[in-house]
Amino acid sequence: MRFSLPRKVKRAYKAKKAWNERAEVSPFLINYQGELYYYIMFSPIIGQFKGAMVIDKNGSVPWLEEAKPIIFRMNGYNNMINFANKEMKETLKRPVGMMRRVERQVLKVYPNITEEHKLYNEISLLARMCRTIYQNHEKLVSLYKEIAVISQRVQKHNKVLDEESFWRLFDIFTEWHMLLFVEKRMQLDNYVQLPKIIEDVNSKSNGGKLTKSLSKLQLIKRKEVLEEFLDGVIEPSIGNAKTLPYTDEGTEEFREMKKTEAFTMFENRLVSKIRN
């Protein structure tokens, strides 16, 4: 830790630390309602996280109910930055260029499709799905870059996690999952319709390349990956993303579920470990 820790703060957290534990003080402070707080994590000499507490700059230890919203922010910030460094980075590696290619192939085979076509809804969804995925990718890249800017400001410059930065990260985190939810739901619906689409494409003289592309989208492994995401994107006790439509109403409900999940998981998994 680069800053000098006040003696009162040291005494306050040492009073809560077991002899066989180590304490790690966050290298930046938390600004909550105009007050600055230190965040301390406790863990065994060898082992995982065991407890946490916050102490204000003067060495005062707030009561549990006062400490909870402060720790919620700090724990949430750490989780979101870790998520960005791992899962978000991996997501951005996906080959979305394939979706642009499939969209072009769809438009070539069905250049002037109308509502009278027997597969109008299915073909329209396929084209919209492709477009959604590569457009979403651009949005995801932008969100990831914004997270990097916030992280730099908090950890390298201001050394303070302010409320504006936290809530913007919270919104980004929710938006990220919402974008992926929409495209995964669209892909799963499209997966079910692929046999009918492929059969129709095979009847076209210029459908060879599209058939080959759609066959890759029909792999059972791909369906399993989509279902795994939708099963895990929201804690089952909160809701089921598979039951939500990807309409405006569905995405808004998804957002609310994701926010509820964050507060519920905090209460269930971390509050009992707070030592304030």
Side-chain angles (χ1 to χ4, degrees):
M1 189 179 69
R2 295 180 181 177
F3 53 77
S4 177
L5 199 63
R7 189 172 300 170
K8 289 182 179 179
V9 175
K10 289 181 180 179
R11 283 204 298 264
Y13 81 71
K14 286 182 178 178
K16 301 283 187 176
K17 185 178 84 70
W19 69 270
N20 61 343
E21 289 181 329
R22 58 189 178 90
E24 180 182 350
V25 183
S26 171
F28 51 92
L29 300 168
I30 314 159
N31 185 329
Y32 178 70
Q33 297 185 346
E35 298 290 333
L36 294 176
Y37 296 86
Y38 293 94
Y39 177 72
I40 297 92
M41 292 182 293
F42 302 98
S43 59
I45 301 301
I46 300 176
Q48 300 297 314
F49 171 85
K50 196 173 180 181
M53 69 181 298
V54 286
I55 306 166
D56 75 17
K57 280 202 76 174
N58 299 314
S60 297
V61 179
W63 295 106
L64 175 62
E65 288 305 313
E66 299 173 275
K68 281 167 59 175
I70 307 170
I71 293 179
F72 175 80
R73 285 157 176 71
M74 190 65 196
N75 180 70
Y77 174 86
N78 287 336
N79 288 340
M80 288 185 286
I81 294 300
N82 288 336
F83 182 83
N85 289 330
K86 295 176 184 177
E87 282 83 353
M88 285 186 176
K89 276 186 177 179
E90 279 302 307
T91 298
L92 294 181
K93 294 178 183 177
R94 59 195 186 147
V96 295
M98 177 187 177
M99 291 297 106
R100 293 182 184 273
R101 184 169 66 253
V102 173
E103 183 189 33
R104 288 195 298 268
Q105 292 169 353
V106 170
L107 295 176
K108 182 177 180 180
V109 176
Y110 300 97
N112 300 303
I113 190 170
T114 65
E115 292 185 19
E116 285 68 42
H117 192 285
K118 62 180 180 180
L119 294 181
Y120 174 78
N121 291 330
E122 290 83 350
I123 301 299
S124 297
L125 172 62
L126 173 60
R128 187 154 52 97
M129 179 197 79
C130 293
R131 190 160 52 251
T132 297
I133 291 174
Y134 68 71
Q135 288 179 346
N136 271 3
H137 188 76
E138 295 173 3
K139 296 175 185 176
L140 295 176
V141 170
S142 178
L143 291 175
Y144 181 79
K145 288 180 178 178
E146 189 176 352
I147 290 174
V149 170
I150 294 173
S151 175
Q152 279 284 105
R153 183 170 66 243
V154 171
Q155 299 185 36
K156 299 287 179 67
H157 302 302
N158 294 349
K159 292 290 185 181
V160 173
L161 173 60
D162 58 86
E163 295 190 53
E164 182 181 353
S165 295
F166 171 77
W167 288 115
R168 178 54 192 151
L169 276 177
F170 193 83
D171 287 342
I172 289 173
F173 183 80
T174 306
E175 180 76 6
W176 178 281
H177 285 87
M178 187 277 292
L179 291 172
L180 292 178
F181 154 72
V182 169
E183 64 180 63
K184 304 298 186 191
R185 278 288 288 107
M186 293 177 80
Q187 289 180 81
L188 198 56
D189 277 8
N190 174 71
Y191 184 91
V192 175
Q193 299 168 359
L194 278 175
K196 289 188 295 183
I197 298 174
I198 292 174
E199 182 180 2
D200 194 70
V201 173
N202 284 337
S203 68
K204 311 291 183 183
S205 59
N206 62 345
K209 290 182 179 180
L210 180 56
T211 295
K212 187 175 180 181
S213 296
L214 295 182
S215 296
K216 294 178 181 178
L217 299 182
Q218 201 182 17
L219 297 174
I220 186 65
K221 179 63 178 175
R222 181 170 173 273
K223 178 174 180 283
E224 292 171 353
V225 169
L226 295 172
E227 291 181 330
E228 182 180 1
F229 174 88
L230 291 169
D231 285 337
V233 70
I234 292 177
E235 184 71 20
S237 62
I238 305 300
N240 183 354
K242 281 183 181 178
T243 66
L244 297 176
Y246 40 86
T247 59
D248 289 345
E249 293 79 8
T251 55
E252 186 57 36
E253 188 173 349
F254 178 88
R255 288 176 189 274
E256 291 306 311
M257 281 186 181
K258 202 65 186 165
K259 291 176 182 177
T260 299
E261 177 190 54
F263 290 105
T264 303
M265 294 302 100
F266 173 75
E267 287 285 342
N268 292 345
R269 297 178 181 177
L270 189 62
V271 168
S272 63
K273 298 179 180 179
I274 296 176
R275 298 185 183 179
N276 285 73

